[in-house]
Amino acid sequence: MDFGVVLQTNPPAARTIQLATLAEAHGFSHVWTFDSHLLWEEPYVIHSAILAATRRITVGPFVTNPATRDWTVTASVFATLNEMYGNRTICGIGRGDSAVRVTNGKPVTMRELRESVHVIRELGNSRAVEYNGATVQFPWSHGSELDVWVAAYGPMALKLTGEVGDGFILQLADLDIAEWMIKVVKDAAAAAGRDPESIAFCVAAPMYIGNDRQHMRDQCRWFGGMVGNHVADIVAKYGTDSDVPQALTDYIAGRQGYDYNSHGKADNDHVDFVPDDIIDRFCLLGTAEEHIEKLEKLRAIGVTQFAGYLQHDNKEETMRVYGETVIPALGESVTATS
């Protein structure tokens, strides 16, 4: 199992870069960042600085979307970073949440998401592609390599992921929900003639090493609110009697809206509707042994990467314990070369 960290690009940017270098030193393979250009600093500028300050870490957005940038611009960023620093980028992409909603936009359609994945991947791999009726290619890009992982929750998005994604990003760590969604993605891949085992399966959730259970819950309660945004869309589209597990849909009954100015923040003041048991199920909290136990179960159902959100007050210590104890227990820890 690989391990990543998920960071917000809050100023100062030097802090994000520092955390990324610590992640590499502790054996994490990936550094992901939020991508909402109004809420946080521009991630791709910071990605370049992270890549310059590290030797092996893979960097990418968690997640970008097809609406806020032209797809060829997005692909150009990855191909340029790969030319500068070697093939150390990855593209996480979804239909659009905070980046589009803060400007009163809407998530893109499934068709647009599917087409954007194809265009970004082809150009990001130095290949030609049809775009807006023209054949386009970066004449300066040679040997660039880029995987595109799709973030999904609902049935149609999960099916799309199995059909076209190099990887699947699931932003919660509930074992039952993860098992169901992984199966949906694998079944869709098989139906499309793809090898289901060729797809990477990334579960992402807050990770907090500590002993004060209630404090950890309160620091990570924001995550239930963030997931609730996507669940609300699913319920609005499919109702509460769809194939989506009730464990995912029931808890948002008390949801009263959402303020994106508090998106992904530990001090989010409007996520009281998220109960403690949802936090325990969706996140990884507690001692190193408790983390290892849950990660072993996630690995057993097919998860190939765990990406831990670090939007709390114990970032360095959590990464240290992961580097010294958790990562060696579940995957091969790679020490950064000095």
Side-chain angles (χ1 to χ4, degrees):
M1 179 182 281
D2 289 332
F3 289 85
V5 297
V6 186
L7 306 173
Q8 283 181 343
T9 54
N10 293 306
R15 171 65 169 153
T16 306
I17 298 161
Q18 176 196 39
L19 290 170
T21 59
L22 280 174
E24 179 174 78
H26 288 308
F28 290 87
S29 61
H30 289 68
V31 169
W32 305 89
T33 71
F34 284 54
D35 178 14
S36 288
H37 57 291
L38 289 174
L39 297 178
W40 304 289
E41 293 182 318
E42 173 58 35
Y44 296 124
V45 177
I46 297 173
H47 290 178
S48 186
I50 290 172
L51 290 165
T54 57
R55 298 289 297 276
R56 59 168 185 82
I57 211 86
T58 296
V59 178
F62 210 85
V63 296
T64 193
N65 70 86
T68 52
R69 295 181 180 85
D70 184 276
W71 308 342
T72 63
V73 173
T74 298
S76 180
V77 169
F78 292 113
T80 300
L81 291 174
N82 283 342
E83 187 279 321
M84 293 172 68
Y85 302 109
N87 290 316
R88 294 168 54 203
T89 66
I90 188 167
C91 178
I93 194 168
R95 294 178 59 212
D97 183 35
S98 60
V100 297
R101 296 187 196 272
V102 293
T103 55
N104 293 323
K106 295 181 179 180
V108 302
T109 66
M110 291 296 170
R111 178 179 178 180
E112 289 171 310
L113 178 59
R114 181 186 298 271
E115 291 175 351
S116 71
V117 168
H118 177 65
V119 169
I120 292 169
R121 180 166 48 213
E122 293 307 292
L123 291 174
N125 283 278
S126 301
R127 296 190 291 260
V129 69
E130 294 296 315
Y131 178 70
N132 283 347
T135 300
V136 295
Q137 185 172 8
F138 300 137
W140 46 265
S141 178
H142 306 281
S144 177
E145 297 177 4
L146 179 71
D147 280 354
V148 181
W149 293 9
V150 181
Y153 288 106
M156 291 178 63
L158 293 169
K159 181 174 181 290
L160 180 152
T161 302
E163 291 170 348
V164 304
D166 297 309
F168 167 43
I169 293 173
L170 172 59
Q171 296 172 50
L172 57 82
D174 180 278
L175 291 165
D176 294 335
I177 295 171
E179 185 173 18
W180 177 80
M181 291 190 174
I182 288 172
K183 183 179 185 303
V184 173
V185 171
K186 286 188 174 182
D187 287 349
R194 304 180 69 200
D195 176 8
E197 301 307 318
S198 68
I199 300 172
F201 291 91
C202 175
V203 158
M207 58 178 182
Y208 195 125
I209 295 287
N211 295 300
D212 186 338
R213 182 72 57 177
Q214 196 57 49
H215 177 74
M216 291 186 291
R217 287 169 175 160
D218 290 340
Q219 285 282 299
C220 298
R221 199 173 304 275
W222 65 268
F223 184 68
M226 185 187 82
V227 173
N229 295 328
H230 302 285
V231 177
D233 285 345
I234 294 170
V235 171
K237 184 175 181 64
Y238 298 101
T240 57
D241 298 323
S242 68
D243 292 336
V244 179
Q246 280 190 287
L248 183 60
T249 59
D250 282 354
Y251 85 96
I252 68 162
R255 181 178 180 270
Q256 300 295 322
Y258 193 79
D259 181 2
Y260 277 93
N261 291 310
S262 300
H263 191 57
K265 294 182 179 180
D267 60 356
N268 190 319
D269 60 0
H270 55 282
V271 290
D272 291 343
F273 71 92
V274 181
D276 287 349
D277 70 297
I278 284 292
I279 303 168
D280 292 342
R281 291 172 63 179
F282 283 14
C283 304
L284 272 75
L285 312 176
T287 64
E289 290 72 26
E290 290 175 296
H291 284 241
I292 291 168
E293 180 183 4
K294 188 166 186 177
L295 287 164
E296 286 177 337
K297 293 176 181 178
L298 287 167
R299 182 172 63 180
I301 62 173
V303 174
T304 59
Q305 181 179 147
F306 172 69
Y309 286 91
L310 286 175
Q311 285 66 54
H312 56 64
D313 59 4
N314 199 32
K315 298 176 178 62
E316 284 89 349
E317 177 66 5
T318 294
M319 283 197 290
R320 183 190 68 80
V321 175
Y322 260 71
E324 293 181 1
T325 305
V326 178
I327 293 176
L330 288 120
E332 186 174 346
S333 177
V334 182
T335 303
T337 304
S338 58

